Amino acid sequence: MEEESKAKDLGSNKENVLPSLVPHVGMKFRNPDEAWNFWRAYGGQTGFEVRKRYTNKRKPDGKVTSCRYVCANEGHRTKDKRDYLTKCPRAEIRTDCEVRMGLVIDREMDVYKVSDLVLEHNHALHLPETFHLTVSQRKISALQAFEIETADDSGIGPKAAHELASRQVGGSFNLSYTLRDHKNYLRTKRQREMAYGQAGSMLQYCVVML
């Protein structure tokens, strides 16, 4: 009984997945990007992080001939020989999970077909309540970006602004980004503005010199 319960806990979120989001061998996609977006959506519905394993391309024109998308827990992280002085290395989260979806191009139909598929995980999956907070699912919409920038321009700190946004949607679990994403967005925005400012100064200098 205990073994059955344990097996159920590993990869047990299939009942939460929409039938249209369950991959199967022979499934067709117009291009690799469409297949990747599908794999991301499947991971989000099931509760696991996703990763691109490899992509093979033709040398003459660079067209993708085959690719594989996997669970982020696939394989094991290789030891970084440069970091021998690291006292607190990152925890190993990979479990050699074999979940994957491999695609090959059908040259006659000019589509990509699923040719290799494994859907059984060897690790616990995210709870349904936290699916949207996995790295591959988190995102800041255009409206949310505008609200973040408006709050920042008004002098409201990231933590207070994030708490306000969470309350507006009924709690942080309903918000599609975390406080760290909020801070990273502002940091990237300031770095971009700084780069544009430096480029503008250099351009103005060149004009004056001419």
Side-chain angles (χ1 to χ4, degrees):
M1 191 72 178
E2 183 179 349
E3 290 297 326
E4 291 181 4
S5 177
K6 183 177 180 182
K8 188 177 180 181
D9 288 339
L10 298 180
S12 61
N13 292 330
K14 287 184 179 180
E15 63 273 13
N16 299 316
V17 183
L18 296 173
S20 59
L21 285 179
V22 178
H24 58 82
V25 174
M27 181 176 281
K28 302 173 184 177
F29 298 96
R30 289 173 295 181
N31 51 62
D33 288 337
E34 183 180 58
W36 171 244
N37 289 332
F38 174 87
W39 187 245
R40 283 185 58 205
Y42 173 69
Q45 287 280 323
T46 309
F48 69 96
E49 292 284 12
V50 297
R51 184 160 51 89
K52 293 181 179 181
R53 185 67 179 86
Y54 66 75
T55 300
N56 293 322
K57 298 180 179 181
R58 287 195 306 230
K59 290 184 178 180
D61 56 7
K63 188 177 181 65
V64 174
T65 56
S66 63
C67 57
R68 174 180 287 181
Y69 307 135
V70 300
C71 169
N73 282 21
E74 181 261 357
H76 292 285
R77 186 186 303 125
T78 57
K79 184 178 180 181
D80 191 342
K81 297 180 181 179
R82 299 170 299 176
D83 293 341
Y84 62 94
L85 296 177
T86 301
K87 295 182 180 180
C88 300
R90 287 186 301 165
E92 176 60 80
I93 60 172
R94 298 190 187 182
T95 61
D96 204 20
C97 182
E98 296 186 357
V99 167
R100 61 184 181 269
M101 183 177 76
L103 298 103
V104 294
I105 189 172
D106 184 323
R107 290 181 172 80
E108 293 183 359
M109 301 180 64
D110 195 28
V111 296
Y112 293 84
K113 290 184 178 181
V114 176
S115 60
D116 181 27
L117 186 66
V118 176
L119 300 179
E120 293 298 327
H121 297 266
N122 66 355
H123 56 90
L125 303 178
H126 288 276
L127 296 173
E129 295 81 6
T130 61
F131 284 179
H132 67 290
L133 294 178
T134 56
V135 175
S136 58
Q137 304 301 318
R138 297 201 312 257
K139 59 182 178 180
I140 296 177
S141 68
L143 177 59
Q144 290 169 335
F146 174 77
E147 292 174 342
I148 290 174
E149 294 179 12
T150 300
D152 185 59
D153 293 339
S154 301
I156 302 175
K159 185 176 181 180
H162 187 264
E163 290 177 352
L164 176 60
S166 297
R167 287 198 297 270
Q168 290 175 337
V169 295
S172 59
F173 284 131
N174 296 323
L175 197 61
S176 62
Y177 62 93
T178 64
L179 177 58
R180 176 176 293 183
D181 297 327
H182 187 122
K183 293 179 178 179
N184 287 343
Y185 176 83
L186 289 175
R187 184 183 301 112
T188 301
K189 175 177 176 289
R190 287 164 184 156
Q191 290 175 343
R192 186 168 58 247
E193 289 175 345
M194 188 179 298
Y196 288 158
Q198 292 175 345
S201 298
M202 292 179 63
L203 179 61
Q204 187 175 8
Y205 174 78
C206 293
V207 171
V208 171
M209 292 299 293
L210 291 174

